[in-house]
Amino acid sequence: MRIESLEFKSGVYAIRNTRNGKTYIGSSVNLASRIKSHASRMRNGVSKNRYLQADWDSHGPEAFSVEVLVYCLPEHCVSYEQQCFNAFRPEYNISPNAGSQTGWSPTTEHAKAHSNRMLKLWSDPVFREKVRAKYRSPVVTDEYRTKVSEGLRQHWQDHGDARRLAMKSRRKSKVASRRNGSPELSEFRSVLSRSLWEVRAYREKVESAFDAARSDPEVQKKRLETLASESHKAKLKVNAKALWSDPEYRAKNCKFTDEQITAMRLAKRSGAKLKELASEYGISVPQVSAICTGRQYHWVLMPADK
C-alpha cells in the first residue's frame, strides 16, 4: 500500500508488529500525514508511545506493517476507532478510550529520555538546517517560471490526450474502489455500522438530524426545487427507461408479456375497438391507448417496425 494514496483520506488504521503480533490502532482525518508522523517519530526515537518505540528499536522498521481498517467521514473517526478498540483489543494502545489521552501519563524516565533525545537532535546543525530549509520560502526567479511554463505547455501539447485519458481512468478506478472496496472491508464496515446503530445515543443523534432537516424551510425549499427541475425529471426518466428495459425486472413487474402486447397492437391495427380490448385484457381504455401507441411497453417493437 502506497502512503501517498491515503492523502486527505480519513479513517482508522492499524500498525502491526509482525514479530510478536501486537497492534496499535488509531484514527485520523489525514491517514497519510498521521502514518508518516508515526514513522518519523519512531525513526528519531521520540514516539509518544513508549511500548511502540521500544519494539521499533528492538525489531527494526522491517518488522512493522500498516493497514487501513476502515475509511469513514471525519466526524465518524472516533466512533469507528472505539469499535476497533473493542473488537481487536490492541496491545500497544495505552488509553482504552478512542480520541482521548485518559490512561496515559509519561513516567519521569520517559520524560527525561524524551528531553535528552530532543536536545541531542536539535544540537545537530544538519538537522536544524533541514528544518529551516523545510519552512524557508523557496526563491523562484522569473526565468525559472518561464522555463516551467514552457515545459508544461509543450508536454500537454505532445501528450495531453493520453494524459487526460489516463487521469480519467484513474479517477474512475478510485471512485469504484472507494465505493466497493474488498469483500473483507465491506463486511467489516457492515459489522461496525450494525454495532454503531445499536448505540441508542447514536440513533437519537441521526434521527434528530433527519428531523431537523425535515423541519428546516431552506432544506425543504431546496428539495422541492430539485424535484421540480428539468434535469432531475430527465434523469428520472432515463433511469426508469433503463430499469424497465431489463428483461428480469419486466418479468417480475409487468402485467403482460411481450407476445400479449404485440397481439393487442395487431388487434387494434386490424380494427378492434379500444373498449373491446380493455374488456378483454381487464384494463382501462386509456391504458389500451397508451400501449397501442407505444407510450407504454416502449421496449416492444411496433408491428410495423418488425
Side-chain angles (χ1 to χ4, degrees):
M1 177 183 63
R2 296 184 59 186
I3 301 300
E4 290 76 11
S5 64
L6 304 178
E7 197 73 36
F8 304 115
K9 293 181 181 179
S10 57
V12 182
Y13 63 92
I15 301 176
R16 301 188 189 279
N17 187 330
T18 57
R19 300 285 176 81
N20 56 25
K22 293 183 179 180
T23 305
Y24 174 88
I25 290 178
S27 66
S28 175
V29 298
N30 189 337
L31 291 170
S33 176
R34 179 62 60 82
I35 293 170
K36 288 179 182 178
S37 175
H38 275 297
S40 175
R41 283 178 171 277
M42 288 191 288
R43 278 197 303 268
N44 293 314
V46 293
S47 174
K48 294 182 180 180
N49 190 306
R50 56 181 180 272
Y51 304 115
L52 193 59
Q53 183 67 62
D55 280 358
W56 177 280
D57 296 338
S58 300
H59 303 297
E62 64 276 359
F64 290 84
S65 64
V66 179
E67 176 188 359
V68 178
L69 299 178
V70 62
Y71 296 100
C72 61
L73 295 174
E75 57 266 28
H76 296 159
C77 282
V78 175
S79 299
Y80 278 116
E81 183 183 358
Q82 187 62 55
Q83 295 294 329
C84 292
F85 276 14
N86 300 338
F88 296 105
R89 304 291 181 185
E91 296 82 2
Y92 284 129
N93 287 81
I94 301 172
S95 172
N97 302 316
S100 171
Q101 292 294 329
T102 304
W104 180 82
S105 58
T107 62
T108 305
E109 294 80 6
H110 182 269
K112 187 176 181 180
H114 178 75
S115 175
N116 292 335
R117 282 194 295 267
M118 295 301 296
L119 288 173
K120 182 180 178 180
L121 198 61
W122 281 99
S123 63
D124 184 3
V126 177
F127 178 80
R128 292 202 304 271
E129 182 58 30
K130 185 178 179 181
V131 174
R132 291 195 188 101
K134 181 179 179 181
Y135 294 101
R136 188 183 296 129
S137 300
V139 179
V140 181
T141 63
D142 293 339
E143 182 182 358
Y144 176 78
R145 291 193 184 95
T146 304
K147 186 176 179 180
V148 170
S149 177
E150 291 176 353
L152 288 174
R153 188 180 297 109
Q154 186 63 40
H155 173 80
W156 281 101
Q157 287 177 357
D158 297 340
H159 311 287
D161 294 339
R163 283 289 302 275
R164 291 186 187 92
L165 187 61
M167 291 167 64
K168 187 176 181 180
S169 177
R170 282 197 296 269
R171 281 197 298 268
K172 286 184 178 179
S173 63
K174 285 182 180 180
V175 170
S177 177
R178 287 197 297 267
R179 185 180 299 157
N180 302 325
S182 64
E184 296 79 9
L185 181 59
S186 299
E187 178 63 23
F188 185 70
R189 285 175 175 171
S190 177
V191 172
L192 286 179
S193 298
R194 286 197 296 269
S195 59
L196 192 62
W197 194 252
E198 291 173 358
V199 180
R200 183 178 178 182
Y202 179 79
R203 290 200 308 272
E204 292 177 349
K205 182 179 179 181
V206 173
E207 290 169 357
S208 63
F210 276 114
D211 291 339
R214 293 190 191 101
S215 59
D216 189 346
E218 291 296 327
V219 174
Q220 294 302 318
K221 181 182 178 182
K222 186 176 180 180
R223 174 177 171 272
L224 293 175
E225 290 175 353
T226 302
L227 293 175
S229 64
E230 294 299 327
S231 59
H232 182 73
K233 292 178 181 178
K235 186 177 180 180
L236 289 178
K237 187 175 180 180
V238 171
N239 291 341
K241 192 169 183 178
L243 190 64
W244 282 101
S245 298
D246 183 6
E248 294 183 2
Y249 185 82
R250 293 202 305 266
K252 292 180 181 178
N253 298 277
C254 288
K255 183 175 182 178
F256 303 113
T257 64
D258 293 357
E259 291 76 13
Q260 289 175 312
I261 296 300
T262 302
M264 187 187 305
R265 290 172 177 172
L266 287 172
K268 176 65 176 67
R269 182 160 295 184
S270 300
K273 301 293 186 182
L274 293 178
K275 192 172 183 180
E276 295 173 356
L277 292 174
S279 177
E280 179 182 351
Y281 287 95
I283 56 178
S284 65
V285 172
Q287 281 182 298
V288 174
S289 176
I291 291 173
C292 292
T293 56
R295 286 182 286 118
Q296 290 186 10
Y297 291 85
H298 57 83
W299 57 87
V300 181
L301 296 177
M302 300 295 287
D305 298 333
K306 283 182 172 288

